[in-house]
Amino acid sequence: MDFDGDGEEFSRRVQVRFITKLQPPFKVPSTSIAIPSNLTRMGLSAIVNNLLLAGNADWKAEPFDFLINGELVRMSLEEFLLAKGISAEKILEIEYVKAVAPRREEDPSLHDDWVSAVDGSNPGFILTGCYDGLGRKLDKIWSCFKLCQLNRIWKSAGLCSHVLEGHGAAVTSVSIIKPKGLEGSTDIRVATASKDKTVRLWKVDVEGSSDHSKKVRAYKILPGHSASVQSVAAKPSGDMVCSGSWDCRINLWQTNELDKGGDLVSIKKRKKGDGDEETQLQGESVSTLVGHTQCVSSVVWPHNDTIYSASWDHSIRRWDVEMGKDSLNMFCGKVINCLDVGGESSSLIAAGGSDPILRIWDPRKPGSLAPIFQFSSHTSWISACKWHDKSWFHLVSASYDGKVMLWDLRTAWPLAVIESHKDKVLCADWWRGDSVVSGGADSKLLISSDISVQ
């Protein structure tokens, strides 16, 4: 079989066989065909769609990505073969996969001010933190449900189920606590950090149905930092959280409601409208990790015994929780704003900071702390990065350039660029495995959905 593309009649031909791990109806015949060598990804995608249409009259065109020897093709076929030293004299096997790009944008959820933090780790809802730049007394954390679940909880898109009140300044970070053994519980615990120098813990019944947002107060206030708290992360077991602050310290806190670990300091009581008293515990840190010399901008707690931190002192550190000491100290040469750990064996470190470059390190490689990947398509500071929890290759980044980008380690170019925000993007996360949620200085929470990650 011989395929021509528009204006391709003078191009050299190569014999290819398209293969895929996708299931029917996405499989094309396994016979080899001759195609122009100067086809790019779009041309290859058109050929695969034509082959699928030939076998299925009801086929609707689908965008595809292509891999040769495990590497994504992001140039013409001829240029790729030349760059990789691959011979075109034999039949070339090209694997095709669904393109990793959003196919739908949900209606935005509007906030009162900047959306500074987001957590999409629970498939039932999205948790966000709102940055109050106008000096209002209370910041809000919104628990928003996706459009497909509105029939169960909501009457219109963008309506919030809960408002978490109590912080006295901007919310900087949010984290959903996922305790072992309670994965199916409707009582969700949440940790939030703020410029008011505190971490607060909340308990929310996410199944409660109401026409109005429910107001919730923290069950525990953790006031141990002496400066703005920039980041909070929960231990995988759910019994502790850690926080990073402008005071250069990382504090560890217990999440229990009762004094089981000796961290209880006092109980605050507040009169409710019906005359009953509402109690709030106040706790102190159980330990402190010291070593950074400037603001601790980001913390993650991927394993029970290990915490990672990033700082404006240009370093990324890995901490042994039991010993209270760092076991890895990487100097990065730049202020670091964001950090995440994931990828292959949940061992790769992704970080972004005060330049447009997203860097990836593999600390398992001995003798070198140089990044193994550097992605440079952003044009301003990187504010957020997050690995996909089911893929070794995929991650998302957000930047002050107003863009959210989807990445695959198998190519140096972004798979997709989301340009829906009208101002700086301050936070981003994956949601449900097939969506990206992001918030920014335009006061919007955006959901880009129907993303196929394989």
Coordinates of all heavy atoms in Angstrom, one line a residue, residues 9-60:
E9 N 4.6 14.3 -3.0 CA 4.9 13.3 -4.0 C 6.3 13.2 -4.4 O 6.8 12.2 -5.0 CB 4.0 13.7 -5.3 CG 4.3 15.1 -5.8 CD 3.4 16.1 -5.2 OE1 2.8 15.9 -4.2 OE2 3.3 17.2 -5.8
F10 N 7.1 14.2 -4.0 CA 8.6 14.2 -4.3 C 9.4 13.7 -3.1 O 10.6 13.7 -3.2 CB 9.0 15.6 -4.8 CG 8.3 16.0 -6.0 CD1 7.4 17.1 -6.0 CD2 8.5 15.4 -7.3 CE1 6.8 17.5 -7.1 CE2 7.8 15.8 -8.4 CZ 6.9 16.9 -8.3
S11 N 8.7 13.4 -2.0 CA 9.5 13.0 -0.9 C 9.9 11.5 -1.0 O 9.2 10.7 -1.6 CB 8.6 13.2 0.4 OG 9.2 12.6 1.5
R12 N 11.0 11.2 -0.3 CA 11.4 9.8 -0.3 C 10.4 9.0 0.5 O 9.8 9.4 1.5 CB 12.8 9.7 0.4 CG 13.4 8.3 0.5 CD 14.9 8.4 0.8 NE 15.1 9.0 2.1 CZ 15.6 8.3 3.1 NH1 15.9 7.0 3.0 NH2 15.8 8.8 4.3
R13 N 10.2 7.7 0.1 CA 9.2 6.8 0.8 C 10.0 5.9 1.8 O 11.1 5.6 1.6 CB 8.5 6.0 -0.2 CG 7.6 6.7 -1.2 CD 6.4 7.3 -0.4 NE 5.3 7.7 -1.3 CZ 5.2 8.9 -1.9 NH1 6.2 9.8 -1.7 NH2 4.2 9.2 -2.6
V14 N 9.3 5.6 2.9 CA 9.8 4.6 3.8 C 8.7 3.6 4.1 O 7.5 3.9 4.1 CB 10.3 5.2 5.1 CG1 11.5 6.1 4.9 CG2 9.2 6.0 5.8
Q15 N 9.1 2.3 4.3 CA 8.2 1.3 4.6 C 8.0 1.2 6.1 O 9.0 1.1 6.9 CB 8.7 -0.1 4.1 CG 8.7 -0.3 2.6 CD 7.3 -0.4 2.0 OE1 6.9 0.2 1.1 NE2 6.6 -1.3 2.7
V16 N 6.7 1.3 6.5 CA 6.4 1.3 8.0 C 5.3 0.3 8.3 O 4.5 0.0 7.4 CB 6.0 2.7 8.5 CG1 7.1 3.8 8.1 CG2 4.7 3.1 7.9
R17 N 5.3 -0.1 9.5 CA 4.2 -0.9 10.0 C 3.8 -0.2 11.3 O 4.6 0.0 12.3 CB 4.7 -2.3 10.3 CG 3.6 -3.2 10.9 CD 4.0 -4.6 11.2 NE 4.4 -5.3 10.0 CZ 5.7 -5.7 9.7 NH1 6.7 -5.4 10.6 NH2 6.0 -6.3 8.6
F18 N 2.5 0.1 11.4 CA 1.9 0.7 12.6 C 1.5 -0.3 13.6 O 0.8 -1.3 13.2 CB 0.7 1.6 12.2 CG 1.1 2.9 11.5 CD1 0.9 3.0 10.1 CD2 1.7 3.9 12.2 CE1 1.3 4.1 9.4 CE2 2.0 5.1 11.5 CZ 1.8 5.2 10.1
I19 N 1.9 -0.2 14.8 CA 1.6 -1.1 15.9 C 1.0 -0.3 17.0 O 1.3 0.9 17.2 CB 2.8 -2.0 16.3 CG1 3.9 -1.1 16.9 CG2 3.3 -2.8 15.2 CD1 5.0 -1.8 17.5
T20 N 0.3 -1.0 17.9 CA -0.3 -0.3 19.1 C -0.7 -1.3 20.2 O -0.9 -2.5 19.9 CB -1.6 0.5 18.7 OG1 -2.0 1.3 19.8 CG2 -2.7 -0.4 18.3
K21 N -0.7 -0.8 21.4 CA -1.2 -1.6 22.5 C -2.6 -1.3 22.8 O -3.2 -2.0 23.7 CB -0.3 -1.3 23.8 CG 1.1 -1.7 23.7 CD 1.8 -1.4 25.0 CE 3.3 -1.9 25.0 NZ 4.1 -1.0 24.1
L22 N -3.2 -0.4 22.0 CA -4.6 -0.1 22.2 C -5.5 -1.2 21.7 O -5.1 -2.0 20.8 CB -5.0 1.2 21.4 CG -4.2 2.5 21.8 CD1 -4.6 3.6 20.8 CD2 -4.6 2.9 23.2
Q23 N -6.6 -1.4 22.3 CA -7.6 -2.4 21.9 C -8.5 -2.0 20.8 O -8.6 -0.8 20.5 CB -8.4 -2.8 23.1 CG -7.6 -3.3 24.3 CD -6.8 -4.6 23.9 OE1 -7.3 -5.5 23.4 NE2 -5.5 -4.5 24.3
P24 N -9.1 -3.0 20.0 CA -10.1 -2.6 19.0 C -11.1 -1.7 19.6 O -11.5 -1.8 20.8 CB -10.7 -3.9 18.6 CG -9.6 -4.9 19.0 CD -9.0 -4.4 20.2
P25 N -11.6 -0.7 18.8 CA -11.5 -0.5 17.4 C -10.2 0.4 17.0 O -10.2 0.9 15.9 CB -12.8 0.2 17.0 CG -13.0 1.1 18.2 CD -12.6 0.3 19.4
F26 N -9.2 0.4 17.8 CA -8.1 1.3 17.6 C -6.9 0.6 16.8 O -5.9 1.2 16.5 CB -7.5 1.9 18.9 CG -8.4 2.9 19.5 CD1 -9.3 2.5 20.5 CD2 -8.3 4.2 19.2 CE1 -10.2 3.4 21.1 CE2 -9.2 5.2 19.8 CZ -10.1 4.8 20.7
K27 N -7.1 -0.7 16.5 CA -6.0 -1.4 15.8 C -6.2 -1.3 14.3 O -7.3 -1.5 13.7 CB -6.1 -2.9 16.2 CG -5.6 -3.1 17.6 CD -5.5 -4.6 17.9 CE -4.9 -4.9 19.3 NZ -3.5 -4.4 19.4
V28 N -5.0 -1.0 13.6 CA -5.0 -1.0 12.1 C -4.4 -2.3 11.6 O -3.8 -3.0 12.4 CB -4.2 0.2 11.6 CG1 -4.7 1.5 12.1 CG2 -2.7 0.1 12.0
P29 N -4.6 -2.6 10.3 CA -4.0 -3.9 9.8 C -2.5 -3.9 10.0 O -1.8 -2.8 10.0 CB -4.3 -3.8 8.3 CG -5.6 -3.0 8.3 CD -5.4 -2.0 9.3
S30 N -1.9 -5.0 10.2 CA -0.5 -5.1 10.5 C 0.4 -5.2 9.3 O 1.7 -5.3 9.4 CB -0.2 -6.4 11.3 OG -0.6 -7.6 10.6
T31 N -0.1 -5.0 8.1 CA 0.7 -5.0 6.9 C 1.5 -3.7 6.8 O 1.1 -2.7 7.3 CB -0.2 -5.1 5.6 OG1 -1.2 -4.1 5.7 CG2 -0.9 -6.5 5.6
S32 N 2.6 -3.8 6.1 CA 3.5 -2.6 6.0 C 3.0 -1.8 4.8 O 2.4 -2.3 3.9 CB 4.9 -3.0 5.7 OG 5.0 -3.7 4.5
I33 N 3.2 -0.5 4.9 CA 2.8 0.5 3.9 C 4.0 1.4 3.6 O 4.9 1.6 4.5 CB 1.5 1.3 4.3 CG1 1.8 2.1 5.6 CG2 0.4 0.3 4.5 CD1 0.6 3.0 6.0
A34 N 4.0 2.1 2.5 CA 5.0 3.1 2.1 C 4.4 4.4 2.3 O 3.3 4.8 1.8 CB 5.4 2.9 0.7
I35 N 5.1 5.3 3.1 CA 4.6 6.6 3.4 C 5.7 7.6 3.1 O 6.9 7.3 3.1 CB 4.1 6.8 4.8 CG1 5.2 6.6 5.8 CG2 3.0 5.8 5.1 CD1 4.8 6.8 7.2
P36 N 5.4 8.9 2.9 CA 6.4 9.9 2.7 C 7.3 10.1 3.9 O 6.8 10.1 5.0 CB 5.6 11.2 2.3 CG 4.3 10.7 1.9 CD 4.0 9.5 2.6
S37 N 8.6 10.3 3.8 CA 9.5 10.4 4.9 C 9.4 11.7 5.6 O 9.9 11.9 6.7 CB 10.9 10.0 4.5 OG 11.4 11.0 3.6
N38 N 8.8 12.7 4.9 CA 8.8 14.0 5.6 C 7.5 14.3 6.3 O 7.2 15.5 6.6 CB 9.1 15.2 4.6 CG 8.1 15.2 3.4 OD1 7.2 14.3 3.3 ND2 8.2 16.1 2.5
L39 N 6.7 13.3 6.6 CA 5.5 13.4 7.3 C 5.9 13.7 8.8 O 6.8 13.2 9.4 CB 4.7 12.1 7.3 CG 3.9 11.8 6.0 CD1 3.1 10.5 6.2 CD2 2.9 13.0 5.7
T40 N 5.1 14.6 9.4 CA 5.2 14.9 10.8 C 4.1 14.1 11.6 O 3.4 13.3 11.0 CB 5.1 16.4 11.1 OG1 3.8 16.8 10.7 CG2 6.2 17.2 10.4
R41 N 4.0 14.4 12.9 CA 3.0 13.7 13.7 C 1.6 13.9 13.2 O 0.8 12.9 13.2 CB 3.1 14.3 15.2 CG 2.1 13.6 16.1 CD 2.4 14.1 17.5 NE 1.9 15.5 17.7 CZ 0.8 15.9 18.1 NH1 -0.2 15.0 18.4 NH2 0.5 17.1 18.2
M42 N 1.3 15.1 12.7 CA -0.1 15.3 12.2 C -0.3 14.5 10.9 O -1.4 13.9 10.8 CB -0.3 16.8 11.8 CG -0.1 17.7 13.0 SD -1.3 17.3 14.4 CE -2.8 17.8 13.6
G43 N 0.7 14.3 10.0 CA 0.5 13.5 8.9 C 0.4 12.0 9.2 O -0.4 11.3 8.6
L44 N 1.2 11.6 10.2 CA 1.1 10.2 10.6 C -0.3 9.9 11.2 O -0.9 8.8 11.0 CB 2.2 9.9 11.6 CG 3.6 9.9 11.1 CD1 4.6 9.8 12.2 CD2 3.9 8.8 10.1
S45 N -0.8 10.9 12.0 CA -2.1 10.7 12.6 C -3.2 10.6 11.6 O -4.1 9.8 11.7 CB -2.3 11.9 13.6 OG -3.5 11.6 14.4
A46 N -3.1 11.4 10.5 CA -4.1 11.4 9.4 C -4.1 10.0 8.8 O -5.1 9.5 8.4 CB -3.8 12.5 8.4
I47 N -2.9 9.4 8.5 CA -2.8 8.1 7.9 C -3.4 7.0 8.8 O -4.2 6.2 8.3 CB -1.3 7.7 7.6 CG1 -0.8 8.6 6.5 CG2 -1.2 6.3 7.3 CD1 0.7 8.4 6.2
V48 N -3.1 7.0 10.1 CA -3.7 6.0 11.0 C -5.3 6.2 11.0 O -6.0 5.2 11.0 CB -3.1 6.2 12.4 CG1 -3.9 5.3 13.4 CG2 -1.7 5.7 12.4
N49 N -5.7 7.4 11.1 CA -7.2 7.7 11.1 C -7.8 7.2 9.7 O -8.9 6.6 9.8 CB -7.5 9.1 11.3 CG -7.5 9.5 12.8 OD1 -8.4 9.1 13.5 ND2 -6.6 10.3 13.2
N50 N -7.1 7.4 8.6 CA -7.7 6.9 7.3 C -7.7 5.3 7.3 O -8.7 4.8 6.8 CB -6.8 7.4 6.2 CG -7.0 8.8 5.9 OD1 -8.1 9.4 6.1 ND2 -6.0 9.5 5.3
L51 N -6.7 4.7 7.9 CA -6.7 3.2 8.0 C -7.9 2.7 8.8 O -8.5 1.7 8.5 CB -5.4 2.7 8.5 CG -4.2 2.9 7.6 CD1 -2.9 2.6 8.3 CD2 -4.3 2.0 6.3
L52 N -8.1 3.4 10.0 CA -9.2 3.0 10.8 C -10.5 3.3 10.2 O -11.5 2.5 10.4 CB -9.0 3.8 12.2 CG -7.8 3.4 13.0 CD1 -7.7 4.4 14.2 CD2 -8.0 2.0 13.6
L53 N -10.6 4.4 9.5 CA -11.9 4.7 8.8 C -12.2 3.7 7.7 O -13.3 3.3 7.5 CB -11.8 6.1 8.2 CG -13.1 6.6 7.5 CD1 -14.3 6.6 8.4 CD2 -12.8 8.0 6.8
A54 N -11.1 3.2 7.0 CA -11.3 2.2 6.0 C -11.9 0.9 6.5 O -12.7 0.2 5.8 CB -10.0 1.9 5.3
G55 N -11.7 0.6 7.8 CA -12.2 -0.6 8.4 C -13.5 -0.4 9.2 O -14.1 -1.3 9.7
N56 N -13.8 0.9 9.4 CA -15.0 1.2 10.2 C -15.6 2.5 9.7 O -15.0 3.6 10.0 CB -14.5 1.3 11.7 CG -15.7 1.6 12.6 OD1 -16.8 1.8 12.2 ND2 -15.4 1.8 13.9
A57 N -16.7 2.4 9.0 CA -17.3 3.6 8.4 C -17.8 4.6 9.5 O -17.9 5.8 9.2 CB -18.5 3.2 7.5
D58 N -17.9 4.2 10.7 CA -18.4 5.1 11.8 C -17.3 5.7 12.6 O -17.5 6.4 13.6 CB -19.3 4.3 12.7 CG -20.6 3.8 12.0 OD1 -21.1 4.5 11.1 OD2 -21.1 2.7 12.4
W59 N -16.0 5.4 12.1 CA -14.9 5.9 12.9 C -14.8 7.4 12.9 O -15.0 8.1 11.9 CB -13.6 5.4 12.3 CG -12.4 5.9 12.9 CD1 -11.5 6.9 12.5 CD2 -11.9 5.6 14.2 NE1 -10.5 7.2 13.4 CE2 -10.7 6.4 14.5 CE3 -12.3 4.6 15.2 CZ2 -10.0 6.2 15.6 CZ3 -11.5 4.5 16.3 CH2 -10.4 5.3 16.6
K60 N -14.6 8.0 14.1 CA -14.4 9.4 14.3 C -12.9 9.7 14.5 O -12.3 9.0 15.3 CB -15.3 10.0 15.4 CG -16.8 9.9 15.1 CD -17.6 10.5 16.2 CE -19.1 10.4 15.9 NZ -19.9 11.0 17.0

